Amino acid sequence: MIQFRITTAAATVIAGAGLVFLTLPASAATAAQSVTKQCSTQYNAAKEAGTLNGQKWPQFLSDCSAKLKDAGATDAAAPAATTPTKKATKDTATTKQSKDTAAAKPAKATETAAAGGMSVKAITKECSTQYQSAKSAGTLKGQTWNQFLSSCSESLKSDNSDASTPPEPTPAATKTTTKTAAAATTADGKPLTPGQVAFRQRISACGEQWQQAKASNKTGGKTWPQYWSACNTRLKAE
């Protein structure tokens, strides 16, 4: 009889624990996976660029996770939008139903452009390249890779140099642009920001590709502004 009661109690405890586990929010697991994925992308880019400075994956993941969590805490501090009532939500959905299909894509593109339009992978890759260049030139001024990555990322995200289409390059202008892209200062002698450096490099790359496409009659009927827009967007995502 005593053994039966003990067995019954144990089964009750196990069942209760199972119910508690099932009620845990899935968002925690999803967030952890997202952080690991982002850190993995940054780790591989840094590994290829040789900027790990001896860090192993566990140490890199720990530092990277902490930074992403700090960034998430900052975002969480922003005031939440007021949740509309069910009736307001239904009315709004009915009114916008015929417009959403056409408006969704442009709105998304605008948000992407406002955020700098570069993927995490592209930002890490570009910053790694610029870090190595600065390291070789001796212009890091004591910055570690993490410090350089932080300031470089902010510059790339806030840069709006490509807000307007640059002039169509000619073969001679393309060569000049390539030399300009390699320069480290502006015309008035001020150092280029990481965003400006990346922008000049994209102009150079897209300009050369445009000239090659025109020479082989493979522009697909696109004008330079159309070609530049597609090329610029592609390079910012790679």
Side-chain angles (χ1 to χ4, degrees):
M1 184 66 177
I2 296 175
Q3 182 178 2
F4 174 75
R5 291 179 178 177
I6 294 175
T7 302
T8 302
T12 302
V13 171
I14 293 173
L19 289 174
V20 171
F21 177 78
L22 290 175
T23 58
L24 288 175
S27 58
T30 302
Q33 291 176 356
S34 178
V35 168
T36 302
K37 184 176 180 181
Q38 291 184 56
C39 290
S40 177
T41 299
Q42 294 185 24
Y43 177 81
N44 288 328
K47 185 176 181 181
E48 291 178 5
T51 56
L52 285 175
N53 296 326
Q55 280 188 307
K56 300 297 182 182
W57 166 240
Q59 184 181 357
F60 186 94
L61 176 61
S62 177
D63 295 342
C64 176
S65 299
K67 290 182 179 180
L68 292 177
K69 288 179 180 178
D70 289 342
T74 301
D75 293 340
T82 303
T83 303
T85 62
K86 291 184 178 180
K87 185 178 184 303
T89 302
K90 183 177 180 180
D91 292 342
T92 302
T94 302
T95 304
K96 293 175 62 180
Q97 185 174 4
S98 60
K99 300 179 181 179
D100 281 349
T101 302
K105 291 185 178 180
K108 185 175 182 180
T110 301
E111 292 171 1
T112 301
M118 295 185 73
S119 65
V120 174
K121 180 180 179 181
I123 288 176
T124 304
K125 181 179 178 181
E126 178 62 31
C127 289
S128 295
T129 300
Q130 294 192 30
Y131 177 80
Q132 290 300 330
S133 298
K135 187 176 181 180
S136 300
T139 57
L140 282 175
K141 299 179 180 178
Q143 288 186 101
T144 64
W145 159 242
N146 288 334
Q147 291 171 332
F148 186 91
L149 176 61
S150 177
S151 60
C152 175
S153 298
E154 288 303 317
S155 176
L156 292 175
K157 290 177 182 178
S158 61
D159 183 71
N160 62 352
S161 299
D162 56 2
S164 58
T165 303
E168 178 179 354
T170 61
T174 301
K175 294 180 181 179
T176 303
T177 303
T178 302
K179 294 180 181 179
T180 304
T185 58
T186 60
D188 55 1
K190 294 181 179 180
L192 294 176
T193 66
Q196 291 173 325
V197 172
F199 173 60
R200 293 191 180 193
Q201 290 173 343
R202 293 197 302 275
I203 292 179
S204 176
C206 291
E208 290 180 3
Q209 294 174 26
W210 169 248
Q211 291 302 326
Q212 292 172 3
K214 284 183 67 177
S216 57
N217 196 26
K218 294 181 179 179
T219 61
K222 292 181 180 178
T223 61
W224 162 244
Q226 293 171 327
Y227 189 93
W228 157 253
S229 178
C231 179
N232 185 47
T233 300
R234 171 172 55 80
L235 292 181
K236 291 172 76 172
E238 290 180 348

Coordinates of all heavy atoms in Angstrom, one line a residue, residues 151-231:
S151 N 32.2 50.5 -34.6 CA 32.1 51.8 -35.2 C 31.9 51.7 -36.7 O 31.1 52.5 -37.3 CB 33.4 52.6 -35.0 OG 34.5 51.9 -35.5
C152 N 32.5 50.7 -37.4 CA 32.3 50.5 -38.8 C 30.9 50.1 -39.1 O 30.3 50.6 -40.1 CB 33.3 49.4 -39.3 SG 33.1 48.9 -41.0
S153 N 30.3 49.3 -38.3 CA 28.9 48.8 -38.5 C 28.0 50.0 -38.5 O 27.0 50.2 -39.3 CB 28.5 47.8 -37.5 OG 29.3 46.6 -37.6
E154 N 28.2 50.9 -37.5 CA 27.3 52.1 -37.3 C 27.4 53.0 -38.5 O 26.4 53.5 -39.0 CB 27.7 52.8 -36.1 CG 27.2 52.1 -34.8 CD 25.7 51.8 -34.7 OE1 25.0 52.7 -35.1 OE2 25.4 50.7 -34.3
S155 N 28.7 53.1 -39.0 CA 28.9 54.0 -40.2 C 28.2 53.4 -41.4 O 27.5 54.2 -42.2 CB 30.4 54.1 -40.5 OG 30.6 54.9 -41.7
L156 N 28.3 52.1 -41.6 CA 27.6 51.5 -42.8 C 26.1 51.6 -42.7 O 25.4 51.8 -43.7 CB 28.1 50.0 -42.9 CG 29.6 49.8 -43.3 CD1 29.9 48.3 -43.2 CD2 29.9 50.4 -44.6
K157 N 25.6 51.4 -41.5 CA 24.1 51.5 -41.4 C 23.6 52.9 -41.6 O 22.4 53.1 -42.1 CB 23.7 51.0 -40.0 CG 24.0 49.5 -39.8 CD 23.7 49.0 -38.4 CE 23.9 47.6 -38.2 NZ 23.7 47.2 -36.8
S158 N 24.3 53.9 -41.2 CA 23.8 55.3 -41.2 C 24.2 56.0 -42.5 O 23.7 57.1 -42.8 CB 24.4 56.1 -40.0 OG 25.8 56.1 -40.1
D159 N 25.1 55.4 -43.3 CA 25.5 56.1 -44.6 C 24.4 56.1 -45.6 O 23.7 55.1 -45.8 CB 26.7 55.3 -45.2 CG 27.3 56.0 -46.4 OD1 27.9 57.1 -46.2 OD2 27.1 55.5 -47.5
N160 N 24.2 57.3 -46.2 CA 23.2 57.5 -47.2 C 23.8 58.0 -48.5 O 23.1 58.8 -49.2 CB 22.0 58.4 -46.7 CG 22.5 59.8 -46.3 OD1 23.8 60.0 -46.3 ND2 21.6 60.7 -46.0
S161 N 25.0 57.7 -48.7 CA 25.7 58.2 -49.9 C 25.0 57.8 -51.2 O 25.0 58.5 -52.2 CB 27.1 57.7 -50.0 OG 27.9 58.1 -48.9
D162 N 24.3 56.6 -51.2 CA 23.6 56.1 -52.4 C 22.2 56.5 -52.4 O 21.4 55.9 -53.1 CB 23.8 54.6 -52.5 CG 23.3 53.9 -51.3 OD1 22.8 54.5 -50.4 OD2 23.4 52.6 -51.3
A163 N 21.8 57.6 -51.7 CA 20.4 58.0 -51.7 C 20.0 58.5 -53.1 O 18.8 58.4 -53.5 CB 20.2 59.2 -50.7
S164 N 20.9 59.0 -53.9 CA 20.7 59.3 -55.3 C 21.6 58.6 -56.2 O 22.7 58.1 -55.8 CB 20.9 60.8 -55.5 OG 22.2 61.2 -55.1
T165 N 21.2 58.4 -57.4 CA 22.0 57.6 -58.4 C 23.2 58.4 -58.8 O 23.1 59.6 -59.2 CB 21.1 57.3 -59.7 OG1 20.0 56.6 -59.3 CG2 21.9 56.5 -60.7
P166 N 24.4 57.8 -58.8 CA 25.6 58.5 -59.2 C 25.6 58.7 -60.7 O 24.9 57.9 -61.4 CB 26.7 57.6 -58.8 CG 26.1 56.3 -58.7 CD 24.7 56.5 -58.2
P167 N 26.3 59.6 -61.3 CA 26.4 59.8 -62.8 C 26.8 58.5 -63.5 O 27.6 57.8 -62.9 CB 27.4 60.9 -63.0 CG 27.4 61.6 -61.6 CD 27.2 60.6 -60.6
E168 N 26.3 58.3 -64.7 CA 26.7 57.1 -65.4 C 28.2 57.2 -65.7 O 28.7 58.2 -66.3 CB 25.9 57.1 -66.8 CG 26.3 55.9 -67.6 CD 25.6 55.8 -68.9 OE1 24.6 56.6 -69.1 OE2 25.9 54.9 -69.7
P169 N 28.9 56.1 -65.4 CA 30.4 56.2 -65.6 C 30.7 55.9 -67.0 O 30.1 55.1 -67.7 CB 30.9 55.0 -64.7 CG 29.7 54.1 -64.6 CD 28.5 54.9 -64.7
T170 N 31.8 56.5 -67.5 CA 32.4 56.2 -68.8 C 33.6 55.3 -68.6 O 34.1 55.2 -67.4 CB 32.8 57.5 -69.5 OG1 33.8 58.2 -68.7 CG2 31.6 58.4 -69.7
P171 N 34.2 54.7 -69.6 CA 35.4 53.9 -69.4 C 36.5 54.7 -68.7 O 37.1 54.2 -67.8 CB 35.8 53.5 -70.8 CG 34.5 53.5 -71.6 CD 33.7 54.6 -71.0
A172 N 36.7 55.9 -69.1 CA 37.8 56.7 -68.4 C 37.4 57.1 -67.0 O 38.2 57.0 -66.1 CB 38.0 58.0 -69.2
A173 N 36.1 57.4 -66.8 CA 35.6 57.7 -65.4 C 35.7 56.5 -64.5 O 35.9 56.6 -63.3 CB 34.2 58.2 -65.5
T174 N 35.5 55.3 -65.1 CA 35.5 54.1 -64.2 C 36.9 53.9 -63.7 O 37.1 53.6 -62.5 CB 35.2 52.9 -65.1 OG1 33.8 53.0 -65.6 CG2 35.2 51.6 -64.2
K175 N 38.0 54.2 -64.5 CA 39.3 54.0 -64.0 C 39.6 55.1 -63.0 O 40.3 54.8 -62.0 CB 40.3 54.2 -65.2 CG 40.2 53.1 -66.2 CD 41.2 53.4 -67.4 CE 41.1 52.2 -68.4 NZ 42.1 52.5 -69.5
T176 N 39.1 56.3 -63.2 CA 39.3 57.3 -62.2 C 38.6 57.0 -60.9 O 39.1 57.2 -59.8 CB 38.7 58.7 -62.7 OG1 39.4 59.0 -63.9 CG2 39.0 59.8 -61.7
T177 N 37.4 56.4 -61.0 CA 36.6 56.0 -59.8 C 37.3 54.9 -59.0 O 37.3 54.9 -57.8 CB 35.2 55.5 -60.2 OG1 34.6 56.5 -61.0 CG2 34.4 55.2 -59.0
T178 N 38.0 54.0 -59.7 CA 38.7 53.0 -59.1 C 39.9 53.5 -58.2 O 40.1 53.1 -57.1 CB 39.3 52.0 -60.1 OG1 38.2 51.5 -60.9 CG2 40.0 50.8 -59.4
K179 N 40.6 54.5 -58.8 CA 41.6 55.2 -58.0 C 41.1 55.9 -56.8 O 41.7 55.9 -55.8 CB 42.4 56.1 -59.0 CG 43.2 55.4 -60.1 CD 43.9 56.4 -60.9 CE 44.7 55.7 -62.1 NZ 45.4 56.7 -62.9
T180 N 39.9 56.6 -57.1 CA 39.3 57.3 -56.0 C 38.9 56.4 -54.9 O 39.0 56.7 -53.7 CB 38.1 58.1 -56.5 OG1 38.5 59.0 -57.6 CG2 37.5 59.0 -55.4
A181 N 38.3 55.2 -55.2 CA 37.9 54.3 -54.2 C 39.0 53.8 -53.4 O 38.9 53.5 -52.2 CB 37.2 53.1 -54.9
A182 N 40.2 53.8 -53.9 CA 41.4 53.3 -53.2 C 41.9 54.4 -52.3 O 42.7 54.1 -51.3 CB 42.5 52.9 -54.2
A183 N 41.5 55.6 -52.5 CA 42.0 56.7 -51.7 C 41.4 56.6 -50.3 O 40.3 56.1 -50.1 CB 41.7 58.1 -52.3
A184 N 42.1 57.2 -49.3 CA 41.6 57.1 -47.9 C 41.0 58.4 -47.4 O 40.5 58.5 -46.3 CB 42.7 56.7 -47.0
T185 N 41.1 59.5 -48.3 CA 40.6 60.8 -47.8 C 39.7 61.4 -48.9 O 39.7 61.0 -50.1 CB 41.7 61.8 -47.6 OG1 42.5 61.9 -48.8 CG2 42.6 61.3 -46.5
T186 N 38.9 62.4 -48.5 CA 38.0 63.1 -49.4 C 38.8 64.1 -50.2 O 40.0 64.3 -49.9 CB 36.8 63.8 -48.7 OG1 37.4 64.7 -47.8 CG2 36.0 62.7 -47.9
A187 N 38.2 64.9 -51.1 CA 38.9 65.9 -51.9 C 39.5 67.0 -51.0 O 40.5 67.6 -51.3 CB 37.9 66.5 -52.9
D188 N 38.8 67.2 -49.8 CA 39.3 68.3 -48.9 C 40.3 67.7 -47.8 O 40.6 68.4 -46.8 CB 38.2 69.0 -48.2 CG 37.2 68.1 -47.5 OD1 37.5 66.9 -47.5 OD2 36.2 68.6 -47.0
G189 N 40.7 66.5 -48.0 CA 41.7 65.9 -47.1 C 41.1 65.2 -45.9 O 41.9 64.7 -45.0
K190 N 39.8 65.1 -45.7 CA 39.2 64.5 -44.6 C 39.2 63.0 -44.8 O 38.9 62.5 -45.9 CB 37.8 65.0 -44.3 CG 37.8 66.5 -43.9 CD 36.3 66.9 -43.6 CE 36.3 68.4 -43.2 NZ 34.9 68.8 -43.0
P191 N 39.4 62.2 -43.7 CA 39.4 60.7 -43.8 C 38.0 60.3 -44.2 O 37.0 60.8 -43.8 CB 39.7 60.2 -42.4 CG 40.4 61.4 -41.8 CD 39.8 62.6 -42.3
L192 N 37.9 59.3 -45.1 CA 36.6 58.7 -45.5 C 36.1 57.9 -44.4 O 36.8 57.2 -43.7 CB 36.8 57.8 -46.8 CG 37.3 58.5 -48.1 CD1 37.5 57.4 -49.1 CD2 36.2 59.5 -48.5
T193 N 34.8 57.9 -44.2 CA 34.1 57.0 -43.3 C 34.0 55.7 -43.9 O 34.1 55.5 -45.1 CB 32.7 57.5 -42.9 OG1 31.9 57.5 -44.1 CG2 32.7 59.0 -42.4
P194 N 33.8 54.6 -43.1 CA 33.7 53.3 -43.6 C 32.5 53.2 -44.6 O 32.6 52.5 -45.6 CB 33.4 52.4 -42.4 CG 34.1 53.1 -41.3 CD 33.9 54.6 -41.6
G195 N 31.5 54.0 -44.4 CA 30.3 54.0 -45.3 C 30.7 54.6 -46.6 O 30.3 54.1 -47.7
Q196 N 31.5 55.6 -46.6 CA 31.9 56.3 -47.9 C 32.9 55.4 -48.6 O 32.8 55.3 -49.9 CB 32.6 57.6 -47.5 CG 31.6 58.7 -47.0 CD 32.4 59.9 -46.6 OE1 33.5 59.9 -46.0 NE2 31.7 61.1 -46.8
V197 N 33.8 54.7 -47.9 CA 34.7 53.8 -48.6 C 33.9 52.7 -49.3 O 34.2 52.4 -50.5 CB 35.6 53.1 -47.6 CG1 36.5 52.0 -48.2 CG2 36.6 54.2 -47.0
A198 N 32.9 52.1 -48.6 CA 32.1 51.0 -49.2 C 31.3 51.5 -50.4 O 31.2 50.8 -51.4 CB 31.2 50.4 -48.1
F199 N 30.8 52.7 -50.3 CA 30.0 53.3 -51.4 C 30.9 53.5 -52.6 O 30.5 53.1 -53.7 CB 29.4 54.7 -50.9 CG 28.8 55.4 -52.0 CD1 27.7 54.9 -52.7 CD2 29.2 56.7 -52.4 CE1 27.0 55.6 -53.7 CE2 28.6 57.4 -53.4 CZ 27.5 56.8 -54.1
R200 N 32.1 54.0 -52.5 CA 33.0 54.2 -53.6 C 33.4 52.9 -54.2 O 33.5 52.8 -55.5 CB 34.2 55.0 -53.2 CG 33.9 56.4 -52.8 CD 35.2 57.2 -52.6 NE 35.0 58.6 -52.2 CZ 35.9 59.5 -52.2 NH1 37.1 59.3 -52.6 NH2 35.6 60.8 -51.9
Q201 N 33.5 51.9 -53.4 CA 33.9 50.5 -53.9 C 32.7 50.0 -54.8 O 33.0 49.3 -55.8 CB 34.3 49.6 -52.8 CG 35.6 50.0 -52.1 CD 35.8 49.1 -50.9 OE1 34.9 48.5 -50.3 NE2 37.1 49.1 -50.4
R202 N 31.5 50.2 -54.3 CA 30.4 49.7 -55.1 C 30.2 50.4 -56.4 O 29.9 49.8 -57.4 CB 29.1 49.8 -54.2 CG 29.0 48.9 -53.0 CD 27.6 48.8 -52.4 NE 27.0 50.1 -52.1 CZ 27.2 50.7 -50.9 NH1 28.0 50.1 -50.0 NH2 26.6 51.8 -50.6
I203 N 30.4 51.8 -56.4 CA 30.4 52.5 -57.6 C 31.4 52.0 -58.6 O 31.1 51.8 -59.8 CB 30.7 54.0 -57.4 CG1 29.5 54.7 -56.6 CG2 30.8 54.7 -58.8 CD1 29.7 56.1 -56.4
S204 N 32.6 51.7 -58.1 CA 33.7 51.2 -59.0 C 33.3 49.8 -59.6 O 33.5 49.6 -60.8 CB 35.0 51.1 -58.2 OG 36.0 50.5 -58.9
A205 N 32.8 48.9 -58.7 CA 32.5 47.6 -59.2 C 31.3 47.6 -60.1 O 31.4 47.0 -61.2 CB 32.1 46.7 -58.0
C206 N 30.3 48.4 -59.8 CA 29.1 48.4 -60.7 C 29.4 49.1 -62.0 O 28.9 48.8 -63.1 CB 27.9 49.1 -60.0 SG 27.2 48.2 -58.6
G207 N 30.3 50.2 -61.9 CA 30.7 50.9 -63.1 C 31.4 50.0 -64.1 O 31.1 50.0 -65.3
E208 N 32.3 49.2 -63.6 CA 33.1 48.3 -64.5 C 32.1 47.2 -65.1 O 32.2 46.9 -66.3 CB 34.2 47.6 -63.6 CG 35.3 48.5 -63.2 CD 36.4 47.8 -62.5 OE1 36.3 46.6 -62.3 OE2 37.3 48.5 -62.0
Q209 N 31.2 46.7 -64.3 CA 30.3 45.7 -64.8 C 29.4 46.3 -65.8 O 29.0 45.7 -66.8 CB 29.5 45.1 -63.6 CG 30.3 44.3 -62.6 CD 29.5 43.8 -61.4 OE1 28.3 43.7 -61.5 NE2 30.2 43.6 -60.3
W210 N 29.0 47.6 -65.6 CA 28.1 48.3 -66.6 C 28.8 48.4 -67.9 O 28.2 48.2 -69.0 CB 27.7 49.6 -66.0 CG 27.0 50.5 -66.9 CD1 27.5 51.7 -67.4 CD2 25.7 50.4 -67.5 NE1 26.6 52.3 -68.3 CE2 25.4 51.5 -68.3 CE3 24.7 49.4 -67.4 CZ2 24.3 51.7 -69.0 CZ3 23.5 49.6 -68.1 CH2 23.3 50.7 -68.9
Q211 N 30.0 48.8 -67.9 CA 30.8 49.0 -69.1 C 31.0 47.7 -69.9 O 30.9 47.7 -71.1 CB 32.2 49.7 -68.8 CG 32.1 51.1 -68.3 CD 31.4 52.0 -69.3 OE1 31.5 51.8 -70.5 NE2 30.7 53.0 -68.8
Q212 N 31.2 46.6 -69.1 CA 31.4 45.3 -69.7 C 30.1 44.9 -70.4 O 30.0 44.3 -71.5 CB 31.8 44.3 -68.7 CG 33.3 44.6 -68.2 CD 33.6 43.7 -67.1 OE1 32.9 42.8 -66.6 NE2 34.8 43.9 -66.5
A213 N 28.9 45.1 -69.6 CA 27.6 44.7 -70.2 C 27.3 45.5 -71.4 O 26.7 45.0 -72.4 CB 26.6 44.9 -69.1
K214 N 27.6 46.8 -71.4 CA 27.3 47.6 -72.6 C 28.1 47.2 -73.8 O 27.7 47.1 -74.9 CB 27.6 49.1 -72.3 CG 26.5 49.8 -71.4 CD 26.8 51.2 -71.2 CE 26.7 52.0 -72.5 NZ 27.0 53.5 -72.3
A215 N 29.4 46.9 -73.5 CA 30.3 46.5 -74.6 C 29.9 45.2 -75.3 O 30.1 45.0 -76.5 CB 31.8 46.4 -74.1
S216 N 29.3 44.3 -74.5 CA 28.9 43.0 -75.0 C 27.4 43.0 -75.3 O 26.8 41.9 -75.6 CB 29.2 41.9 -74.0 OG 28.6 42.1 -72.8
N217 N 26.7 44.1 -75.2 CA 25.3 44.3 -75.5 C 24.5 43.3 -74.6 O 23.6 42.6 -75.1 CB 25.0 44.0 -77.0 CG 23.6 44.5 -77.4 OD1 23.1 45.4 -76.8 ND2 23.0 43.9 -78.4
K218 N 24.8 43.3 -73.3 CA 24.1 42.4 -72.4 C 23.5 43.2 -71.2 O 23.5 42.7 -70.1 CB 25.0 41.3 -71.9 CG 25.5 40.4 -72.9 CD 26.4 39.3 -72.3 CE 26.9 38.3 -73.4 NZ 27.8 37.3 -72.8
T219 N 23.0 44.4 -71.5 CA 22.4 45.2 -70.4 C 21.0 44.8 -70.1 O 20.4 45.3 -69.2 CB 22.4 46.7 -70.8 OG1 21.7 46.9 -72.0 CG2 23.9 47.2 -71.0
G220 N 20.4 44.0 -71.0 CA 19.0 43.5 -70.8 C 18.1 44.7 -71.0 O 16.9 44.6 -70.4
G221 N 18.4 45.7 -71.7 CA 17.5 46.8 -72.0 C 17.5 47.8 -70.8 O 16.7 48.8 -70.8
K222 N 18.3 47.6 -69.8 CA 18.3 48.5 -68.6 C 19.0 49.8 -68.9 O 20.0 49.8 -69.6 CB 18.9 47.8 -67.4 CG 18.1 46.6 -66.9 CD 18.8 46.0 -65.7 CE 18.0 44.8 -65.1 NZ 18.8 44.2 -64.0
T223 N 18.6 50.8 -68.2 CA 19.3 52.1 -68.2 C 20.3 52.1 -67.1 O 20.3 51.2 -66.2 CB 18.4 53.3 -68.0 OG1 17.7 53.2 -66.8 CG2 17.3 53.3 -69.1
W224 N 21.3 53.0 -67.1 CA 22.2 53.0 -66.0 C 21.6 53.1 -64.6 O 22.0 52.4 -63.7 CB 23.2 54.2 -66.2 CG 24.0 54.5 -64.9 CD1 24.0 55.7 -64.2 CD2 24.9 53.7 -64.2 NE1 24.8 55.6 -63.1 CE2 25.4 54.4 -63.1 CE3 25.4 52.4 -64.4 CZ2 26.3 53.9 -62.2 CZ3 26.3 51.8 -63.4 CH2 26.7 52.6 -62.4
P225 N 20.6 54.0 -64.4 CA 20.0 54.1 -63.0 C 19.4 52.7 -62.6 O 19.5 52.3 -61.5 CB 18.9 55.1 -63.2 CG 19.4 56.0 -64.3 CD 20.1 55.1 -65.3
Q226 N 18.7 52.0 -63.6 CA 18.2 50.7 -63.3 C 19.3 49.7 -62.9 O 19.2 48.9 -62.0 CB 17.3 50.2 -64.4 CG 16.1 51.1 -64.7 CD 15.4 50.7 -66.0 OE1 16.0 50.3 -67.0 NE2 14.1 50.8 -66.0
Y227 N 20.3 49.7 -63.7 CA 21.4 48.8 -63.5 C 22.1 49.1 -62.2 O 22.4 48.2 -61.5 CB 22.4 48.9 -64.7 CG 23.5 47.9 -64.7 CD1 23.3 46.7 -65.4 CD2 24.7 48.0 -64.0 CE1 24.3 45.7 -65.4 CE2 25.6 47.0 -64.0 CZ 25.5 45.9 -64.7 OH 26.4 44.9 -64.7
W228 N 22.4 50.3 -61.9 CA 23.0 50.7 -60.7 C 22.2 50.3 -59.5 O 22.7 49.8 -58.5 CB 23.2 52.2 -60.6 CG 23.4 52.8 -59.2 CD1 22.5 53.5 -58.5 CD2 24.5 52.6 -58.4 NE1 23.0 53.9 -57.3 CE2 24.2 53.3 -57.2 CE3 25.7 51.9 -58.5 CZ2 25.1 53.3 -56.1 CZ3 26.6 52.0 -57.4 CH2 26.3 52.7 -56.2
S229 N 20.9 50.5 -59.5 CA 20.0 50.2 -58.4 C 20.1 48.7 -58.1 O 20.3 48.3 -57.0 CB 18.6 50.5 -58.7 OG 17.7 50.2 -57.7
A230 N 20.0 47.8 -59.2 CA 20.1 46.4 -59.0 C 21.5 46.0 -58.5 O 21.6 45.1 -57.6 CB 19.7 45.7 -60.3
C231 N 22.5 46.5 -59.1 CA 23.9 46.1 -58.8 C 24.2 46.6 -57.3 O 24.8 45.8 -56.5 CB 24.9 46.8 -59.7 SG 26.6 46.4 -59.4

